[in-house]
Structure formats: C-alpha cells, structure tokens
Amino acid sequence: MKLSTAGNAGNGGAASAAGDVEIVTASKGSLREVVLNRPKKLNALNQNMVELMTPEIQAWEKSDLAKIILIKSSGGKGFCAGGDVKTVVDLAAVGNHAAAIRFFELEYQLDHLIGVLKTPYVAVMDGITMGGGVGLSVHAPFRIATEKTVFAMPETGIGFLPEVGGSFFLPRLDGFLGTYLGLTGKRLKGVDVLYAGVATHYVPSSRLPALESRLAEINNPTHELINTAIEEFSADLGSESGFSLGGSVMSAIDRCFGYNTVEEIIAAVEKEEDSQWKEETLERFREVSPTSLKVTLQQLRAGRKMSLGDCLKLEYRLVQKFLEGHDFEEGVNATLEKPRRKATWKPSTISEVDAAKIKSDYFDATLPLQLTLLSDKDYMEYPHRKYTLPSESDIQNVVTGEAADVGQYALNREEVIEYFVRERKGKQGVKQKVADVLDRKTSVIKNDESHSLKWAY
C-alpha cells in the first residue's frame, strides 16, 4: 500500500504530524483512496480539503493505473458532517462575499466531477453524512451505508438550503420523500439510508476492511463487478426491521408533501391523524427558517426537471442570495453557540414570506457570478441507478406491464417480488422494499384467480 498526503502545511494540508493532514490519499493495487482526516471536526469539509481532493481525483480519472476511487473517513463519528459553514458566514459578515462564495464554487465543481466520473467511485458513508458529506457521496454510483450512518440534509434549520446537488437527488427519491427530507431535515439512520434510496448498499462496518481488500484485488474492474463485490459483503437484511418511513408514514408523506406551497403542505400534515410522525413534522416546521422553507420547495420542484449540472448552477445562484441575507448567518451562529440557542428568523413566520417575491429575488434575479463546471458531461437521471433498490417507478412499470421483459399478463404479488429479486441478482433489501411498495400502491384485481395486481394511481 502506498500512502501520500495531498496538500502543504501552509494551507492546512500536509503538516509535520500525520494527524494534522486533512486529506490522506492511498494506493492499494488499482484502488485509489481519499481519506477525510478531520475527526475532531467530524470531518467537516473546508475549502482546503476540496482544493486537495479535486486535482487528485482528476489525475486518477486520467490514469490507466487507477481503476477504482474510494472515499472514506479516517474514523470517529463522522464520514463528513457537513461543510465549514461557520467560516463562510464569518467571511460574508465582514463583507468578503467573494471569499465566501469561492468555497461553494469549488465544492460544487467537485460534486459534479464526482457525479460524472468514468472511473468507478465508491463512497463509504460510515458515520454522520450531512451537507457537504452528502455532496461527496450521493452522486456516486456506489454509496455504502453502515449501522453507523446518519444521513440528513438539515439546512433549513440553519437558515440555508439543501444544496450540493440536493435539488437533483432529493426530487428523484420515491414519491415526495425527498421533499419531506429537504424541508424538515429528518435524519435517516443505518438501513433506512438504503431503503430511502440514498445508499446503494448496506455493509456492516466490521466488514469494510475486507471489502476494501476485495476491491483492490479486482482485475479490470467494471461497475458490474464492483457491484457484485460489494453485495458479497452486504448485511443479510432478513432479520432487520423494514424502512421506518415506509407503510403508513410514506403514504402520509405522499399525501402531504405533494403540494406546491408550504402553507398547503403544513395544512395537510395538520389534517393527518394524530401520530408521532405528525407531531415531529409540525414541530420541525416551527423550528426552521420560513424563508428557507419557501426557497427549498421551489428549488426542489424546479430541480426535478433539470440536469445535475444545472441544479448545481441554480444552487450557486441561490447561495449568493443567502449570503446577503439574515437567516443563514443567524442560523449558523445560533446552532454553534454554547449553549445552543433558538434562532431568530427574519421574517419569523411563513405567512410573512411571499412566494412570488422569493421567486423574483432568488430565482429570477440577475446575479454577478455564474458557476463554471470542470466537465461538460451531464445527465437528467443518474446513469447507475440500477445499483440501488428498485424505485417505485421501477415497480410500477412491472405491475402495469410497461417494463419491456414482463410479458403480456398481469403479475401477482409473489411474481412481482420474484421478478425483482431475479433482476437485481438477489440484492439485499429488494424483497422488503418491493413488498412495502406493493402494500401501499397496489390492490388485487377482483375476480382474478391468479390474484394479479393493479396499480393504485
């Protein structure tokens, strides 16, 4: 194994002690590793780390020797718990907006680069994965969750927006799950990250060293071979509980979060039967920034019809407006102060935030800076989404007969589940995911001896 440090002591990179190095790179056979090494800061992403990672990944992308790129943390509770927003808001507070926006420019360029790499990229989300850490992982073809993974996009709680490509990946989750996660900042833990579609695999953390060794041994690795190798180390989910947001909770999410105004969404939640989910959701709406809620909802609706690159360009525009406003600085400072205090939002209520003004000020305004990406490659849908669990759309196509290889006859429940187990080559979690969707979205055709299913639109 070859180890190296990416950076120099002058900018916070390599220093005299290995523990001071924020980014470590390693070579293991044809495997190239990026190791995030700020464990005391939960590996929160700063500009220096981005500047160190980007040229390394670009060089590996061009190298015939680098066959797989893997990113992980050096340990601790965090894979990457977010971006260094405190530095950013402090720069903006003293009027240095150019330096503040520079961090986001470099970060989004890296996020997009990761999303369009031809070299297979594996993100090991073994720990807290939020904000900037999501940008380093969620656009990858392979995203490994463990029992230690805690995923969230909690930006509305700090007066910000779910960026790093959140406007792309959140609307592409099942139903309106992404809208719910983006507005409320709900945390997903462990196997829930797989069932939500954020992770592609669920591997116990104790198996990660062996998995890395296996990946390094693969000759001429393809995405298919890598997927098979990771699946060999995946946990047997037969005894695991299902998706905590599945069943009746997911049905409620779809009922409530499909509206196009924040007011309608909240009103729909209030009409739901009393439950822990209802109370938690309403409490979260009372805590977060009203401005962030309305920007985020418009952002997610727009992002469903945009490419990954265009979503990042949109977010770059929105960030410039947030750096000029009140809530982002207030939210960050309120969160980080000891003891933590309740943020004072301006405006303080949802009714005071005019959606039309949000559109004109944040989405339609002419801004001085535009994001330039490092690659011309782009897409409207993730090219490697077949490595995740089947989506609701995938399952719908099989139930309705629109999938090319289903045949002319409607399938029953067991046949649909068997189809996906076979199609995904026995992938862990497929049975549970498909069964949950069928329970919520289908009914048995009346007077059909085969118990064939029909989709409930």
Side-chain angles (χ1 to χ4, degrees):
M1 179 179 72
K2 179 183 178 183
L3 287 173
S4 64
T5 56
N8 57 74
N11 66 1
S16 58
D20 295 332
V21 180
E22 293 180 340
I23 294 294
V24 177
T25 61
S27 298
K28 300 177 181 178
S30 62
L31 179 68
R32 299 293 181 269
E33 292 186 347
V34 175
V35 185
L36 309 178
N37 192 38
R38 294 181 77 203
K40 294 181 180 179
K41 297 289 186 181
L42 299 177
N43 297 305
L45 189 67
N46 61 28
Q47 182 170 324
N48 174 65
M49 296 166 75
V50 175
E51 290 177 330
L52 298 177
M53 280 189 282
T54 299
E56 290 281 348
I57 292 174
Q58 287 178 307
W60 291 337
E61 173 78 337
K62 297 176 182 178
S63 172
D64 293 333
L65 299 177
K67 304 295 187 183
I68 305 173
I69 299 172
L70 182 144
I71 187 168
K72 64 177 184 177
S73 73
S74 60
K77 294 182 179 180
F79 161 66
C80 177
D84 189 3
V85 290
K86 176 60 175 172
T87 296
V88 168
V89 298
D90 285 349
L91 287 168
V94 297
N96 195 348
H97 287 84
I101 196 65
R102 177 64 172 163
F103 167 73
F104 294 103
E105 177 186 7
L106 296 172
E107 182 185 26
Y108 296 172
Q109 287 176 339
L110 175 57
D111 294 338
H112 183 261
L113 175 65
I114 289 169
V116 299
L117 290 172
K118 71 177 187 297
T119 306
Y121 180 101
V122 180
V124 182
M125 304 183 293
D126 186 32
I128 300 170
T129 305
M130 299 182 185
V134 175
L136 297 177
S137 56
V138 78
H139 309 303
F142 304 107
R143 310 178 297 275
I144 299 173
T146 74
E147 75 281 0
K148 300 178 183 178
T149 303
V150 180
F151 164 90
M153 294 296 286
E155 287 81 3
T156 58
I158 58 168
F160 199 38
L161 72 153
E163 26 84 77
V164 298
S167 50
F168 186 82
F169 83 84
L170 286 170
R172 286 162 176 78
L173 300 179
D174 285 344
F176 293 100
L177 176 62
T179 304
Y180 165 70
L181 296 175
L183 292 178
T184 68
K186 170 71 174 179
R187 294 187 176 195
L188 301 177
K189 298 180 181 180
V191 73
D192 273 352
V193 184
L194 173 72
Y195 286 130
V198 176
T200 59
H201 298 79
Y202 181 73
V203 177
S205 59
S206 61
R207 299 180 187 176
L208 293 176
L211 171 58
E212 289 181 32
S213 297
R214 175 73 182 94
L215 292 176
E217 294 170 353
I218 301 177
N219 292 320
N220 300 315
T222 63
H223 284 86
E224 288 292 337
L225 287 175
I226 294 168
N227 178 60
T228 300
I230 299 173
E231 195 61 37
E232 290 172 2
F233 290 85
S234 293
D236 182 353
L237 298 180
S239 60
E240 291 277 348
S241 58
F243 187 26
S244 69
L245 297 180
S248 61
V249 173
M250 188 64 196
S251 296
I253 289 171
D254 282 348
R255 281 194 300 270
C256 299
F257 284 80
Y259 292 100
N260 290 322
T261 69
V262 174
E263 288 88 347
E264 288 175 299
I265 290 173
I266 294 175
V269 175
E270 289 174 337
K271 293 177 183 177
E272 289 290 313
E273 294 184 3
D274 289 343
S275 67
Q276 182 179 351
W277 174 83
K278 173 183 176 179
E279 294 307 315
E280 287 179 352
T281 303
L282 292 175
E283 178 62 26
R284 188 58 179 162
F285 278 133
R286 289 189 286 267
E287 293 173 347
V288 302
S289 161
T291 299
S292 292
L293 284 176
K294 293 207 171 178
V295 172
T296 296
L297 184 58
Q298 290 193 35
Q299 167 203 353
L300 298 182
R301 292 295 184 262
R304 186 62 187 91
K305 302 175 183 179
M306 299 169 69
S307 69
L308 174 61
D310 286 342
C311 282
L312 288 163
K313 290 176 182 179
L314 169 64
E315 292 167 10
Y316 186 68
R317 289 168 50 83
L318 296 176
V319 166
Q320 293 176 60
K321 296 298 295 184
F322 273 90
L323 288 173
E324 296 172 358
H326 166 272
D327 280 7
F328 187 24
E329 179 184 356
E330 167 66 11
V332 170
N333 288 333
T335 300
L336 296 181
E337 284 183 13
K338 304 295 184 183
R340 181 173 179 169
R341 63 175 173 84
K342 184 177 180 180
T344 302
W345 307 121
K346 294 182 181 179
S348 61
T349 64
I350 291 170
S351 61
E352 294 177 86
V353 182
D354 181 69
K357 193 172 189 326
I358 289 292
K359 186 175 186 301
S360 62
D361 289 354
Y362 285 79
F363 291 85
D364 298 337
T366 300
L367 296 172
L369 300 176
Q370 305 296 324
L371 178 65
T372 301
L373 300 172
L374 303 177
S375 171
D376 293 331
K377 296 179 182 179
D378 209 4
Y379 45 74
M380 294 294 294
E381 300 290 342
Y382 285 117
H384 303 293
R385 59 189 181 278
K386 65 181 179 179
Y387 300 125
T388 62
L389 294 179
S391 68
E392 283 189 6
S393 295
D394 295 331
I395 299 167
Q396 178 181 350
N397 287 339
V398 170
V399 171
T400 59
E402 295 176 42
D405 56 347
V406 172
Q408 299 179 346
Y409 301 100
L411 303 181
N412 61 34
R413 177 187 175 88
E414 289 72 25
E415 289 168 336
V416 174
I417 293 174
E418 288 174 3
Y419 171 91
F420 281 104
V421 170
R422 181 175 64 254
E423 191 257 349
R424 298 299 167 103
K425 301 177 182 179
K427 182 178 180 66
Q428 291 294 328
V430 167
K431 287 183 180 180
Q432 295 89 331
K433 170 68 185 286
V434 176
D436 175 63
V437 173
L438 295 180
D439 287 344
R440 291 186 287 108
K441 293 290 187 176
T442 66
S443 61
V444 177
I445 298 174
K446 292 182 179 180
N447 302 320
D448 186 310
E449 294 181 358
S450 299
H451 303 289
S452 301
L453 299 176
K454 64 177 180 180
W455 192 263
Y457 291 94

